[in-house]
Amino acid sequence: MTELATYNFAYLDEQTKRMIRRAILKAIAIPGYQVPFASREMPMPYGWGTGGVQVTASIIGPEDVLKVIDQGADDTTNAVSIRAFFQKVANVAVTTHTKDATIIQTRHRIPEQQLEKGQVLVYQVPIPEPLRFLEPRETETRKMHALEEYGLMHVKLYEDIARHGRISTTYAYPVKVAGRYVMDPSPTPKFDNPKMHMSEALQLFGAGREKRIYAVPPYTDVVSLDFEDYPFEIQKFEQPCALCGAQGVYLDEVVLDDKGGRMFVCSDTDHCEDRREHGHAGEMLAPAKEAAE
Amino acid sequence: MNIKTQALSGGFQEPVFHSQGVFRMLMDGMARPGTVHTIAMDIGQPEPLGQAAGAIALTLCDHDTPTWLSAGLLKSPAAEWIGFHTGAPITREKAESRFAFVEAGVAPSSFGLFAAGTQEYPDRSTTLVIEIGALGQGQALTLKGPGIQQTTTVKLKGLPEVFPRLWADNRALFPRGVDVILTAGKSLLCLPRTTQIAVQ
Ligand SMILES: [Zn+2]
């Protein structure tokens, strides 16, 4: 990271920021449409969220408070590195608390706590094109979006039903934005899709390697594709979080020992910690609490 | 002050932070159509360019954004001011402009000649910055669309009478179309192409 010695505020040069800012404004004006932009080299490899990092770098100011999550956690290497990067190049305040953040950069999750007006959620996107697995040629997928030709996507989902008795897609589940563009919500679990609908926060998506930016404005319809006889459903978990007892949240499986012991805990670590601080306890913590009494 | 000095004076005192601040107002404005934002910093822009309009030029324009100016702006020191501070080439072709600035009291007869983008690339379109009399007073309009919870009311003074009709034509092109930023002195308000306008 020695090349950072003579960086501009937030690392990117002003001309690059202007170009990305113009792309962001067009992305907001055409919800769900992928705006091409001239992605820059960042001092981190692709796959580390260079698209999201460039979006964040173009919008962030000295007054912002930044939170970075990776699969819901604030403490993974990826999240820690990106947070440290912005502390260094923009000298901004950082937080792990969802409610305190003005900008939240995320990889693969939407926080459990409902986002509020004024907050911006920046997604790191690996593959922005929801039609790519159906059609490898960019010229063709662009034409499909232009003509609103989404029949193939429905055929694919319906083949799923024929094969599995249900739609088997659980991540990057396609959505239709503002009744027009089919959009890839990035590899978030479909559990998070309903949170995108009519969100009070602005949602921005950056794909670095694929050079695309797209957006969902606040209070915008985001509908998961489905069929009348097979309506969209989110994942349901049989038990609450083992640490905080939360229900109706997205859980990760944690292996406890080599004898098959395992538990399910909140993927959103801030949400889980906040609940525990407020006295909530799941079954893994409850016995310890009783013993102390 | 002669025309030359006027063109060279002003600009953002702290370009990096001021352009970031103005951009965030624009981002919030596009994300919440109809919300009024105020540019506080003095940028010394020459008449008839307004303060908010000038700040938008400083924030978004550069040598990659051919910029079109209405007749009054074109023959004023504002043209040279924009050129000097942003590097944007001033174009007479509406269709090739990425930004267009319109002084107060001039009604565009049509948006048709500005770039609306293509069906494949609807982002390749002009953003018009139109100066009007005042935001927050005058004729009441109801806005609806993405970024607006149900509906919102805006009051606009000096909006060209033809505007709602031009806007309806623009809406019909979606996803193609122009986006508009209305300015009045220090204030601005955004109308992305998704916004529906009804006269109350
Ligand atoms: Zn928990």
Side-chain angles (χ1 to χ4, degrees):
Chain A
M1 301 262 268
T2 47
E3 74 272 29
L4 290 181
T6 55
Y7 53 83
N8 188 21
F9 174 79
Y11 188 76
L12 294 175
D13 63 273
E14 290 303 297
Q15 197 210 327
T16 298
K17 285 184 200 168
R18 263 195 309 277
M19 175 267 296
I20 293 175
R21 286 168 180 168
R22 292 192 296 259
I24 289 171
L25 296 182
K26 288 297 176 194
I28 295 170
I30 316 166
Y33 164 75
Q34 301 164 47
V35 182
F37 80 109
S39 183
R40 294 287 187 265
E41 291 290 324
M42 297 301 285
M44 55 193 73
Y46 287 123
W48 276 65
T50 55
V53 168
Q54 289 178 82
V55 169
T56 299
S58 302
I59 68 174
I60 203 163
E63 309 296 316
D64 278 306
V65 180
L66 178 70
K67 172 181 166 80
V68 183
I69 49 172
D70 177 11
Q71 308 267 18
D74 296 87
D75 58 0
T76 69
T77 312
N78 186 300
V80 169
S81 305
I82 292 173
R83 199 161 55 233
F85 174 75
F86 281 110
Q87 277 180 296
K88 186 173 168 64
V89 302
N91 194 29
V92 291
V94 296
T95 185
T96 58
H97 299 306
T98 299
K99 63 180 185 321
D100 295 338
T102 56
I103 299 172
I104 302 168
Q105 183 171 325
T106 180
R107 177 175 173 270
H108 304 185
R109 270 316 306 282
I110 299 174
E112 300 293 354
Q113 173 152 356
Q114 193 182 333
L115 299 180
E116 290 171 4
K117 186 182 162 191
Q119 292 186 304
V120 185
L121 186 59
V122 178
Y123 295 76
Q124 301 171 199
V125 181
I127 300 167
E129 180 48 75
L131 308 172
R132 184 62 68 232
F133 71 102
L134 297 168
E135 170 54 66
R137 289 166 298 178
E138 170 69 15
T139 48
E140 291 304 309
T141 53
R142 208 155 261 284
K143 210 174 286 169
M144 289 158 80
H145 285 295
L147 300 171
E148 212 174 344
E149 183 54 68
Y150 296 129
L152 267 181
M153 181 61 107
H154 281 95
V155 168
K156 190 266 169 193
L157 293 174
Y158 213 86
E159 280 172 1
D160 246 29
I161 295 170
R163 199 171 306 145
H164 307 282
R166 63 188 161 80
I167 296 172
S168 63
T169 307
T170 53
Y171 288 85
Y173 190 104
V175 294
K176 189 172 242 192
V177 181
R180 177 57 176 83
Y181 282 97
V182 167
M183 185 187 95
D184 185 327
S186 86
T188 49
K190 68 176 181 178
F191 179 89
D192 285 337
N193 278 21
K195 296 176 187 161
M196 306 178 79
H197 175 64
M198 294 300 277
S199 171
E200 289 183 30
L202 169 63
Q203 302 173 74
L204 301 176
F205 300 77
R209 192 181 42 224
E210 303 271 335
K211 304 181 172 60
R212 295 288 183 273
I213 287 171
Y214 51 103
V216 177
Y219 307 119
T220 297
D221 284 327
V222 179
V223 178
S224 302
L225 301 186
D226 66 356
F227 301 93
E228 230 168 81
D229 41 345
Y230 290 93
F232 172 78
E233 282 178 348
I234 60 171
Q235 295 100 322
K236 291 198 176 67
F237 298 90
E238 277 161 25
Q239 64 272 73
C241 169
L243 297 177
C244 77
Q247 307 206 23
V249 297
Y250 194 77
L251 302 177
D252 285 335
E253 185 177 352
V254 177
V255 175
L256 294 173
D257 52 43
D258 54 11
K259 299 185 199 77
R262 57 189 195 145
M263 64 175 179
F264 286 90
V265 299
C266 291
S267 126
D268 183 336
T269 54
D270 168 60
H271 184 73
C272 197
E273 279 161 24
D274 188 61
R275 280 180 54 84
R276 278 179 273 148
E277 273 166 28
H278 285 83
H280 297 279
E283 62 172 9
M284 287 298 287
L285 297 181
K289 201 179 167 194
E290 275 166 22
E293 276 164 11
Chain B
M1 202 166 5
N2 68 32
I3 284 176
K4 199 76 193 165
T5 11
Q6 223 179 331
L8 303 185
S9 65
F12 284 140
Q13 277 169 358
E14 292 188 72
V16 172
F17 297 108
H18 287 169
S19 55
Q20 187 272 336
V22 173
F23 168 71
R24 280 294 277 275
M25 285 185 201
L26 292 169
M27 186 174 87
D28 195 50
M30 279 291 175
R32 296 163 209 286
T35 54
V36 176
H37 300 262
T38 305
I39 307 286
M41 67 281 269
D42 186 9
I43 54 166
Q45 83 293 345
E47 296 279 320
L49 191 65
Q51 187 164 322
I56 293 166
L58 296 177
T59 301
L60 296 177
C61 295
D62 60 24
H63 60 258
D64 289 330
T65 62
T67 297
W68 183 90
L69 302 175
S70 59
L73 286 166
L74 191 60
K75 61 173 192 260
S76 79
E80 213 171 327
W81 188 86
I82 290 174
F84 174 74
H85 287 284
T86 73
I90 306 299
T91 178
R92 285 169 184 273
E93 294 300 323
K94 290 177 176 173
E96 69 174 33
S97 67
R98 298 298 307 272
F99 291 92
F101 291 82
V102 180
E103 84 238 37
V106 177
S109 54
S110 155
F111 294 147
L113 293 175
F114 292 104
T118 63
Q119 201 69 15
E120 272 87 4
Y121 293 95
D123 58 302
R124 296 178 179 172
S125 60
T126 309
T127 300
L128 285 100
V129 181
I130 303 174
E131 186 85 8
I132 63 170
L135 308 179
Q137 43 178 297
Q139 185 187 21
L141 303 170
T142 305
L143 308 186
K144 186 176 139 175
I148 300 167
Q149 195 176 21
Q150 294 167 344
T151 62
T152 188
T153 295
V154 295
K155 288 184 173 178
L156 305 172
K157 193 173 171 184
L159 186 73
E161 216 168 288
V162 65
F163 190 89
R165 187 176 59 74
L166 298 184
W167 192 252
D169 293 347
N170 188 54
R171 280 275 315 138
L173 297 175
F174 191 84
R176 298 189 301 127
V178 299
D179 304 304
V180 165
I181 306 171
L182 296 176
T183 55
K186 297 180 177 186
S187 313
L188 68 89
L189 172 162
C190 298
L191 296 173
R193 66 193 75 179
T194 48
T195 302
Q196 298 163 51
I197 299 180
V199 180
Q200 285 184 3

Short mmCIF file of all heavy atoms in Angstrom, two decimals, chain A residues 14 162 237 247-248 258 285:
data_model
loop_
_atom_site.label_atom_id
_atom_site.label_comp_id
_atom_site.label_asym_id
_atom_site.label_seq_id
_atom_site.Cartn_x
_atom_site.Cartn_y
_atom_site.Cartn_z
N GLU A 14 -9.96 13.63 -8.76
CA GLU A 14 -11.24 14.35 -8.88
C GLU A 14 -11.95 14.06 -10.20
O GLU A 14 -13.18 14.00 -10.24
CB GLU A 14 -11.00 15.85 -8.71
CG GLU A 14 -10.63 16.24 -7.29
CD GLU A 14 -11.68 15.80 -6.27
OE1 GLU A 14 -12.82 16.29 -6.35
OE2 GLU A 14 -11.37 14.97 -5.40
N ALA A 162 -40.11 -27.15 -12.28
CA ALA A 162 -40.37 -28.47 -12.87
C ALA A 162 -39.39 -29.50 -12.29
O ALA A 162 -39.76 -30.63 -12.01
CB ALA A 162 -40.22 -28.39 -14.39
N PHE A 237 -36.15 -20.17 9.10
CA PHE A 237 -35.26 -20.94 9.99
C PHE A 237 -36.10 -21.54 11.11
O PHE A 237 -36.98 -20.87 11.66
CB PHE A 237 -34.16 -20.04 10.54
CG PHE A 237 -33.28 -19.49 9.45
CD1 PHE A 237 -33.58 -18.28 8.82
CD2 PHE A 237 -32.18 -20.21 9.01
CE1 PHE A 237 -32.79 -17.80 7.80
CE2 PHE A 237 -31.38 -19.73 7.97
CZ PHE A 237 -31.70 -18.51 7.37
N GLN A 247 -35.58 -14.13 16.20
CA GLN A 247 -36.33 -14.88 15.20
C GLN A 247 -36.53 -13.98 13.99
O GLN A 247 -36.48 -12.77 14.10
CB GLN A 247 -37.69 -15.28 15.76
CG GLN A 247 -37.55 -16.00 17.08
CD GLN A 247 -38.71 -16.94 17.36
OE1 GLN A 247 -39.39 -17.38 16.46
NE2 GLN A 247 -38.91 -17.24 18.64
N GLY A 248 -36.78 -14.63 12.85
CA GLY A 248 -37.03 -13.84 11.64
C GLY A 248 -35.81 -13.08 11.16
O GLY A 248 -35.94 -12.02 10.54
N ASP A 258 -16.10 -31.64 16.36
CA ASP A 258 -16.02 -32.63 15.29
C ASP A 258 -16.98 -33.80 15.50
O ASP A 258 -16.90 -34.81 14.84
CB ASP A 258 -14.56 -33.11 15.11
CG ASP A 258 -13.97 -33.63 16.41
OD1 ASP A 258 -14.74 -33.80 17.39
OD2 ASP A 258 -12.75 -33.86 16.46
N LEU A 285 -26.51 -19.29 25.40
CA LEU A 285 -26.10 -18.38 26.46
C LEU A 285 -27.00 -18.47 27.69
O LEU A 285 -26.60 -18.15 28.81
CB LEU A 285 -26.09 -16.92 25.96
CG LEU A 285 -25.09 -16.64 24.83
CD1 LEU A 285 -25.14 -15.18 24.43
CD2 LEU A 285 -23.67 -17.02 25.26
#
